[in-house]
């Protein structure tokens, strides 16, 4: 099976915090040129700060810009099953390759509740559904046993694991080996190569916004049987991760690093990161160190 990389694309904003569609399209072109596919409206895309209508328009713009040159998955997950189904149906109408559904957030869910939630969404659309597990952000975790039951649903095509725990990722990949057509995508940036070696379909990475070519190289080297090349690219990728994420909340650091590289992407709508000249200088120094900016 040929592996493929996805980037959890940032959403670009104007100074008044409206979506900058042209800048977002430019980021889409940059990722496609590097050889990466797109996850739209995910954690790195400020999905929790976007309105329903904005998510639909953003999806339409990304699909239009990709123009069949890469695959597009869009996150439709919301706390309520009703709203998730409503948004998933709109995305289904636009036409994408997959719909990711993040676990409900704010509300504590039982495993039975999660199973019902994902099943209801998968029943409502034709586009394949991908479960999206990121318990540190949603406080709800898809247990492997629950994922195994959901894997038997004809319209649930896989899972994105952003939990960061290797044993959980291993358990999900065991499901993928057992159930044909259930693909596992790894979220942790430091586990891209390891996950590929152990059966993942590929990464869905936020750090790829900053280092798209290196992410693509890990996967392309692996596909070519060049384990040394994949390992070297992973080492460079992990080194940037260690330096950048030491400064704060990873999605906020990714967006700010990209802003330092190209301020047309705008700031984040989230209150997690306020402009800080001292921190911007630290980010710039990290980008210079890793060859992403000139000295």
């Amino acid at each position: 099976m040929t592996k493929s990389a996805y980037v959890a694309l940032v959403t670009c904003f104007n100074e008044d915090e409206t979506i900058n569609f042209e800048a977002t399209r430019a980021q889409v072109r940059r990722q496609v040129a590097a050889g990466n596919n797109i996850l739209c409206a995910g954690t790195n895309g400020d999905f929790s700060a976007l309105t329903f209508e904005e998510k639909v328009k953003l999806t339409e713009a990304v699909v239009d810009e990709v123009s069949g040159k890469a695959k597009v998955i869009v996150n439709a997950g919301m706390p309520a099953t009703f709203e998730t189904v409503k948004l998933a149906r709109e995305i289904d109408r636009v036409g994408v390759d997959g719909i990711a559904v993040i676990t409900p957030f704010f509300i504590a869910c039982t495993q039975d509740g999660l199973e019902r939630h994902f099943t209801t969404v998968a029943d409502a659309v034709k586009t394949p559904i991908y479960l999206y597990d990121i318990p540190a952000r949603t406080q709800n975790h898809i247990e492997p046993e629950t994922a195994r039951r959901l894997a038997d649903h004809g319209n649930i095509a896989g899972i994105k694991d952003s939990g960061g725990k290797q044993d959980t990722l291993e358990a999900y990949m065991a499901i993928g080996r057992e159930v044909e057509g259930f693909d596992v995508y790894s979220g942790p940036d430091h586990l891209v190569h390891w996950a590929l070696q152990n059966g993942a379909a590929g990464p869905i990475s936020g750090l790829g916004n900053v280092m798209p070519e290196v992410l693509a190289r890990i996967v392309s080297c692996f596909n070519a049987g060049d384990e040394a090349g994949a390992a070297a690219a992973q080492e460079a990728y992990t080194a940037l991760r260690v330096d950048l994420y030491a400064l704060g909340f990873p999605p906020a650091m990714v967006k700010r690093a990209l802003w330092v590289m190209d301020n047309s992407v705008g700031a984040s709508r989230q209150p997690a990161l306020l402009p800080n000249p001292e921190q911007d200088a630290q980010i710039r120094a990290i980008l210079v160190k890793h060859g992403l900016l000139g000295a």
Side-chain angles (χ1 to χ4, degrees):
M1 174 187 176
T2 301
K3 314 293 186 176
S4 57
Y6 283 80
V7 166
L9 192 76
V10 300
T11 302
C12 302
F13 296 105
N14 297 303
E15 286 190 13
D16 64 358
E17 296 194 8
T18 56
I19 295 178
N20 185 333
F21 287 100
E22 286 308 310
T24 302
R25 283 174 176 268
Q27 291 302 314
V28 170
R29 292 193 296 271
R30 177 170 168 261
Q31 293 299 335
V32 172
N36 297 323
N37 300 301
I38 304 294
L39 171 72
C40 178
T43 305
N44 281 271
D46 282 279
F47 86 92
S48 61
L50 300 176
T51 68
F52 183 102
E53 293 76 14
E54 285 176 329
K55 290 173 186 175
V56 176
K57 290 179 180 177
L58 182 65
T59 300
E60 291 171 338
V62 169
V63 169
D64 179 68
E65 191 61 46
V66 165
S67 190
K69 296 171 186 167
K71 292 183 178 180
V72 178
I73 296 175
V74 180
N75 171 41
M78 293 296 290
T81 306
F82 176 86
E83 187 171 12
T84 303
V85 167
K86 186 178 178 182
L87 180 56
R89 283 175 170 159
E90 281 298 299
I91 293 170
D92 194 40
R93 174 189 61 77
V94 174
V96 296
D97 297 283
I99 297 174
V101 180
I102 198 168
T103 50
F105 41 98
F106 187 74
I107 302 298
C109 298
T110 64
Q111 292 300 300
D112 287 344
L114 289 175
E115 187 172 352
R116 179 182 180 276
H117 175 76
F118 289 117
T119 299
T120 302
V121 180
D123 286 343
V125 296
K126 295 179 181 178
T127 303
I129 294 296
Y130 291 88
L131 314 176
Y132 181 178
D133 189 65
I134 183 168
R137 305 289 168 240
T138 68
Q139 307 306 310
N140 285 308
H141 169 53
I142 305 168
E143 296 290 348
E145 295 79 7
T146 304
R148 175 61 188 86
R149 292 192 297 274
L150 288 166
D152 286 331
H153 190 289
N155 199 38
I156 293 179
I159 189 166
K160 176 184 187 287
D161 170 51
S162 291
K165 293 183 178 180
Q166 191 168 313
D167 57 345
T168 300
L169 184 52
E170 286 178 327
Y172 289 155
M173 289 191 293
I175 298 169
R177 289 189 291 271
E178 180 183 349
V179 181
E180 186 176 356
F182 187 82
D183 292 332
V184 179
Y185 288 94
S186 61
D189 299 310
H190 64 296
L191 295 178
V192 175
H193 187 208
W194 177 88
L196 293 172
Q197 291 175 311
N198 287 275
I204 299 180
S205 171
L207 192 63
N209 285 285
V210 181
M211 226 179 207
E213 292 83 6
V214 176
L215 174 64
R217 193 180 311 135
I218 299 171
V219 178
S220 63
C221 284
F222 181 85
N223 284 332
D226 179 6
E227 287 291 342
Q234 178 68 74
E235 185 177 355
Y237 207 58
T238 300
L240 175 63
R241 173 189 181 272
V242 169
D243 287 347
L244 188 60
Y245 292 179
L247 299 182
F249 179 52
M253 291 303 107
V254 164
K255 185 64 178 289
R256 198 62 185 177
L258 194 56
W259 181 89
V260 171
M261 297 168 71
D262 175 5
N263 61 22
S264 72
V265 301
S268 171
R269 272 185 182 172
Q270 306 284 12
L273 181 68
L274 297 175
N276 181 327
E278 182 179 346
Q279 188 174 70
D280 285 349
Q282 291 176 301
I283 291 172
R284 180 174 293 278
I286 289 169
L287 296 172
V288 170
K289 173 185 174 183
H290 292 276
L292 297 166
L293 278 180

